[in-house]
Amino acid sequence: MTESFRRSGDYENPYQGAQQQHASSPVNPEWPPPPAYRPSAEQAGGGAPTALLTEPVAHQPRSRRRPRGPVALLAAVAIVAAAIGGGTAYGIQELTGSDTVAASSSTSTNVVPSSQKGTVSGVAKAVSPSIVEINAASNAGSSTGSGVIITSDGEIVTNNHVVAGASSVKVTTNDGKEYTAEVVGTDSSKDLALIKLQNASGLQAATLGDSSGVQVGDQVVAIGSPEGLTGTVTSGIVSALARDVTVSTDEGQQQQQQQGGGGWPFEFGGQEFNGDTGSSTTTYKAIQTDASLNPGNSGGALIDMNGNIIGINSAMYSAAGSSSSNAGSVGLGFAIPINTVKSDLAKLRSGSQS
């Protein structure tokens, strides 16, 4: 850096050079005039020096200082995150300590605490209170399934085949409390049903995610009540998307299969699994997972690693001729995407029975 020194009393107008340089250039009328300059008393030949300006100048614009240090860094990173998306936004969470992350795969909500983020145990602890066991009884027998609490006063989403034709429905929550429930609405074409607990309040509702962002290879957790074992947790990955799965809509067929203890009958690729699907069927596009599903998981939750529900477990493959004593998952399970559920909620709440 170089400096120039002048003798005492010498003064040069700092704007003189600029005025000469731009004398031939058009002047922008919106530019403010240069700030007034008042020499100090010492420069003017007076006594002790005084402040250059003691009052604001009418046309002097306020100077804006650029933020420096960590604040400027975070602001810059935030702009990049907004442009790039999920992965960078996740980095912002790490910098700021926030428990809310932008969508890395399926949703923008992080239900799992930061200290347990990305762990199966963290997902299980956060979501298990929102998963219930359902016991439905009818003239054809009884069946056991699972359900997902979606409101604090006891609205629960499950599979239609869990409660189809039921004369009574009993629900057990994760903390062991038992409730009587009534079927509000059913949609056999999507294998969905909505039930409502009687005299329930203060329940922990699950967070419904966005299944459109789910990708093959994403880690997932399944929670349900296979064989009546309430709150069973398994984990795996998303194996495939948009599988055309065909299931039965016949109530009698459903109850017989459930009473026998085998897996829910379904068709895929022109083949039938777990028994005859009957003459009345419906087809939907499912999320395929290798998370272990067993009889009784139907209606339970498929969950991403942020703790958001991305699917309702609905079908599984079991070995031919299996019974409740030897049926088991072989890593072929299917779930109804949660976006299908959300789009169907208004119909189910209206009391539709289809």
Side-chain angles (χ1 to χ4, degrees):
M1 178 182 292
T2 59
E3 298 180 0
S4 60
F5 297 88
R6 299 184 180 276
R7 294 191 302 270
S8 175
D10 289 346
Y11 169 70
E12 178 180 349
N13 187 342
Y15 294 93
Q16 181 177 356
Q19 292 172 349
Q20 295 174 353
Q21 181 179 355
H22 298 286
S24 61
S25 303
V27 178
N28 190 331
E30 296 180 357
W31 291 349
Y37 180 88
R38 181 179 299 167
S40 66
E42 183 179 17
Q43 290 175 317
T50 59
L52 295 180
L53 293 177
T54 58
E55 70 276 1
V57 178
H59 298 290
Q60 182 177 0
R62 293 183 180 179
S63 61
R64 295 185 178 180
R65 296 181 178 179
R66 293 184 179 180
R68 298 181 179 180
V71 176
L73 174 61
L74 285 177
V77 175
I79 293 173
V80 175
I84 295 178
T88 306
Y90 178 87
I92 293 296
Q93 182 208 16
E94 292 299 307
L95 288 174
T96 61
S98 171
D99 280 347
T100 302
V101 300
S104 59
S105 62
S106 61
T107 188
S108 58
T109 303
N110 194 343
V111 181
V112 182
S114 295
S115 60
Q116 296 179 309
K117 184 170 50 187
T119 65
V120 174
S121 60
V123 172
K125 183 177 180 180
V127 184
S128 288
S130 302
I131 312 302
V132 301
E133 177 184 319
I134 299 175
N135 290 282
S138 71
N139 294 333
S142 62
S143 63
T144 300
S146 306
V148 178
I149 300 172
I150 61 171
T151 63
S152 61
D153 62 350
E155 281 190 341
I156 294 173
V157 170
T158 186
N159 287 141
N160 174 66
H161 74 257
V162 171
V163 297
S167 56
S168 68
V169 179
K170 301 292 183 181
V171 172
T172 304
T173 56
N174 182 256
D175 59 3
K177 293 183 179 179
E178 295 184 356
Y179 295 86
T180 298
E182 61 179 2
V183 178
V184 176
T186 60
D187 186 349
S188 60
S189 66
K190 295 181 176 66
D191 196 17
L192 291 172
L194 182 71
I195 65 175
K196 179 72 163 56
L197 304 185
Q198 297 179 4
N199 304 317
S201 63
L203 302 178
Q204 180 174 317
T207 300
L208 305 185
D210 179 5
S211 52
S212 67
V214 175
Q215 300 179 29
V216 173
D218 283 352
Q219 289 184 299
V220 290
V221 174
I223 304 179
S225 300
E227 303 290 359
L229 301 174
T230 304
T232 297
V233 177
T234 58
S235 65
I237 64 168
V238 173
S239 304
L241 299 171
R243 292 296 201 196
D244 288 325
V245 173
T246 301
V247 298
S248 173
T249 59
D250 182 74
E251 293 179 6
Q253 179 74 17
Q254 293 166 11
Q255 294 294 337
Q256 290 171 11
Q257 289 294 328
Q258 293 163 4
Q259 188 176 17
W264 174 242
F266 70 96
E267 297 179 16
F268 178 74
Q271 294 181 312
E272 291 185 346
F273 301 93
N274 306 339
D276 182 9
T277 55
S279 58
S280 178
T281 61
T282 185
T283 301
Y284 57 83
K285 293 188 179 297
I287 299 171
Q288 182 181 330
T289 179
D290 70 349
S292 180
L293 301 181
N294 293 282
N297 272 114
S298 293
L302 189 67
I303 313 158
D304 69 15
M305 299 308 289
N306 285 335
N308 302 282
I309 312 299
I310 58 170
I312 300 297
N313 299 321
S314 58
M316 53 153 287
Y317 169 80
S318 61
S322 61
S323 64
S324 59
S325 60
N326 58 20
S329 172
V330 293
L332 290 174
F334 302 92
I336 301 168
I338 201 63
N339 285 7
T340 301
V341 177
K342 290 191 291 187
S343 66
D344 208 37
L345 272 179
K347 177 181 178 180
L348 295 173
R349 283 172 170 156
S350 71
S352 174
Q353 305 285 330
S354 61

